[in-house]
Amino acid sequence: MKKVLVSMLVAASATSVAMAQGNADAGKELVTTCAACHAADGNSLAPTFPKLAGQQEKYLLKQLNDIKSGTRPIAQMAGQLDNLTDQNLADIAAYFASNAVVVGQADAALVEAGKALYRSGNPKTGVPACTACHGPSGKGLDSAAFPSLSGQHADYTKSQLKMFQKGERANDPANIMRDIAFKMNDNEIEAVSSYIQGLY
């Protein structure tokens, strides 16, 4: 089942992401504005803004393109990417991907529950293990544009799962994250988000 799921998602992602060749050095010159929220190296300090450092390059480029096109509307990002070319976006993605993410700490009270869900899912409700797409250490899979989760702020992860759950975020290939988040309860979202924050 896990192999079938990954194969389907790889195929869906491969057809939806056209990727220019990014140049990290060029990207470093383009992220001055990004630094206000995401920090110069992509390790944002504010838990509501995602860490971009160490993110899978192909995934990050897809998100930048989706934000620019309006497929993924984010109020704080409105207009920020309008004047950037496809090459600019590829360079920015390459730059942030080239930096190491700073991993945080999980809430000790939530580690066991978060670990169980991340590694095994919830067979009773049909929630698959996060490892199927994001890997045991949360590094993701660049060839399929599956994001790295390792070290991501718990508050940000929780907010995205809630948005997927409500259908407020809808740029996931084949509705996969919307389907998964819909099956998760609040305690599971809280626990796995915390676990991810300390995952490395």
Side-chain angles (χ1 to χ4, degrees):
M1 177 64 178
K2 184 186 292 186
K3 288 182 180 178
V4 172
L5 174 64
V6 172
S7 297
M8 288 172 57
L9 292 175
V10 168
S13 297
T15 58
S16 64
V17 181
M19 185 173 176
Q21 186 66 39
N23 181 304
D25 290 334
K28 186 176 183 179
E29 304 301 317
L30 296 169
V31 298
T32 304
T33 304
C34 310
C37 296
H38 301 286
D41 67 347
N43 280 293
S44 69
L45 298 177
T48 53
F49 294 123
K51 293 181 181 180
L52 305 180
Q55 186 52 266
Q56 294 292 346
E57 186 174 346
K58 189 178 285 188
Y59 173 80
L60 187 51
L61 180 55
K62 180 188 185 301
Q63 300 313 303
L64 291 170
N65 280 315
D66 285 356
I67 292 166
K68 184 178 179 180
S69 71
T71 302
R72 183 182 174 187
I74 300 176
Q76 300 94 321
M77 291 291 294
Q80 298 286 338
L81 306 177
D82 288 355
N83 296 323
L84 297 176
T85 67
D86 289 347
Q87 187 62 56
N88 292 154
L89 297 181
D91 293 342
I92 290 170
Y95 169 68
F96 283 126
S98 72
N99 297 329
V101 67
V102 176
V103 178
Q105 289 186 325
D107 182 339
L110 299 175
V111 167
E112 288 308 313
K115 181 179 180 180
L117 190 67
Y118 188 89
R119 297 191 179 282
S120 303
N122 184 341
K124 292 181 180 178
T125 57
V127 176
C130 306
T131 55
C133 296
H134 302 286
S137 58
K139 302 303 182 187
L141 180 62
D142 195 48
S143 61
F146 295 158
S148 171
L149 302 180
S150 174
Q152 188 58 263
H153 292 300
D155 286 353
Y156 177 75
T157 301
K158 181 165 59 174
S159 74
Q160 296 309 296
L161 287 171
K162 290 283 191 181
M163 289 178 72
F164 279 127
Q165 190 179 60
K166 297 173 184 175
E168 294 171 358
R169 179 174 170 186
N171 71 327
D172 50 325
N175 297 344
I176 185 64
M177 284 308 305
R178 279 172 281 175
D179 290 343
I180 292 170
F182 184 76
K183 297 172 184 175
M184 296 173 70
N185 62 44
D186 288 348
N187 290 336
E188 288 175 328
I189 288 175
E190 187 83 28
V192 81
S193 297
S194 177
Y195 179 71
I196 284 167
Q197 181 169 278
L199 183 61
Y200 62 90

